[in-house]
Amino acid sequence: MKKNYLLLCLATIAFLGNITAQPDMKETMSIIKSSLVQSKVNMRQYSWIETTKTWIKDELKSTKQNQCYYSVDGKLIKVATGGTVQPAPSGGIKGKIIANKKEDMQEYVTRAMNKINDYLPPDGDKIQRIYESGKVAIQILEPGKKFKLDFPNYMQNGDMLSISVDMAAKKLLALSVATWLDTPSDKVGLNVKYNSLPDGTQYEAGTVLTADAKNLKLEIEESGFRKGNGQ
C-alpha cells in the first residue's frame, strides 16, 4: 500500500514538473516577435558582408559575396564585392546547354526562396492559433530555459515550422522550415542559426537552404557588421 502511494506521489511530481517546465506562450511570442521583427528594424543601421555558397551534388559551384545595407527608404541594397567567384563559362553548344541549365536553376532557387520567405518572419497570430489547437510539440532542450516548438501545417499540409528559444536570455536560438513547392516530394528546407550583436540585435549568422529535387544547397553567412552603410 505504501509502495503504491509512493509511486503515485512520484508520478504526480513528474507530471507537475512537466507542466511547469513548459514555456509561457505569451512570453515566448513576445521573444519571437522582438527577435525577428524588432531586430529587422535595428538592422537598418548596419552594413555587413553576406557570403553565399552554392553546392550542387556536394560540389561547390559558386561563391558570391555582397556588401549589404539599407537605403534611406528602407530598401535592402546588395553590392557585389571582390569575393565573388564564378566558374569559367564554356563556349559553343556545350556553353549554351550549361547556360540554360544555370538559368533553370536560378529560376528554381528564386521560387524556393520566395516560398521560404512566406514563413519569415513567422506570423504571431497564426502560431498562437496552432498552439491553441493543441497541435504544437514542445521539446525541452534545457529545463526551464531552452525550448524547441514545432508548428505543423503552418502554411500548408505537411509542412513544419520549428523555433528554438532561449527563455532565460530572451532570444532566438534557431529557426527551421520544412515545406514543399509543387508536390510534397519537391521538398525545400531552411535552417537558420541566430547570433546577437553587442546592442542585442539578432541576425542570421548561418543559413542553409536545401532543395532535394535539385540536389541543391545554399549556405549563407553574414559577418563583418558595422554601423552605417559602409560607403
Side-chain angles (χ1 to χ4, degrees), residues 2-16:
K2 290 183 178 180
K3 182 178 180 181
N4 291 338
Y5 178 75
L6 178 60
L7 290 175
L8 178 61
C9 288
L10 291 174
T12 303
I13 292 172
F15 176 74
L16 292 175

Side-chain angles (χ1 to χ4, degrees), residues 39-217:
S39 289
K40 188 174 181 179
V41 174
N42 294 346
M43 286 288 286
R44 295 187 178 186
Q45 61 183 314
Y46 287 95
S47 67
W48 67 95
I49 297 298
E50 177 190 79
T51 303
T52 302
K53 294 182 178 180
T54 302
W55 301 78
I56 299 178
K57 295 182 179 179
D58 295 326
E59 181 181 350
L60 180 61
K61 291 296 184 179
S62 68
T63 300
K64 296 182 180 180
Q65 195 173 80
N66 293 318
Q67 180 181 345
C68 305
Y69 61 92
Y70 284 91
S71 62
V72 292
D73 60 355
K75 182 180 179 180
L76 179 60
I77 306 296
K78 295 186 178 184
V79 180
T81 73
T84 296
V85 179
Q86 296 283 13
S90 301
I93 296 177
K94 182 179 179 181
K96 291 182 180 180
I97 293 174
I98 293 176
N100 289 335
K101 288 184 177 180
K102 183 178 179 181
E103 185 177 340
D104 291 342
M105 183 64 74
Q106 288 176 337
E107 181 182 350
Y108 187 89
V109 170
T110 299
R111 290 180 58 219
M113 290 298 295
N114 289 338
K115 182 71 174 184
I116 290 298
N117 285 336
D118 289 341
Y119 292 79
L120 303 174
D123 186 304
D125 293 335
K126 185 176 293 187
I127 287 177
Q128 186 67 37
R129 287 196 297 270
I130 297 175
Y131 178 77
E132 291 174 352
S133 71
K135 297 179 180 179
V136 175
I138 302 176
Q139 179 182 348
I140 301 174
L141 304 178
E142 186 176 340
K145 295 181 179 181
K146 299 178 181 179
F147 303 88
K148 179 183 177 183
L149 296 88
D150 294 328
F151 300 88
N153 304 323
Y154 174 83
M155 186 163 290
Q156 60 190 33
N157 289 333
D159 72 359
M160 179 75 74
L161 170 69
S162 301
I163 303 175
S164 298
V165 182
D166 186 334
M167 298 294 290
K170 299 186 183 301
K171 65 181 182 180
L172 218 58
L173 295 174
L175 180 148
S176 65
V177 174
T179 186
W180 46 273
L181 294 180
D182 299 324
T183 65
S185 62
D186 193 2
K187 297 178 181 178
V188 176
L190 179 76
N191 288 284
V192 181
K193 290 185 178 180
Y194 289 91
N195 210 337
S196 299
L197 296 172
D199 65 359
T201 299
Q202 289 204 265
Y203 66 96
E204 300 166 0
T207 301
V208 178
L209 171 69
T210 57
D212 293 347
K214 298 292 185 179
N215 293 309
L216 171 71
K217 180 172 70 173

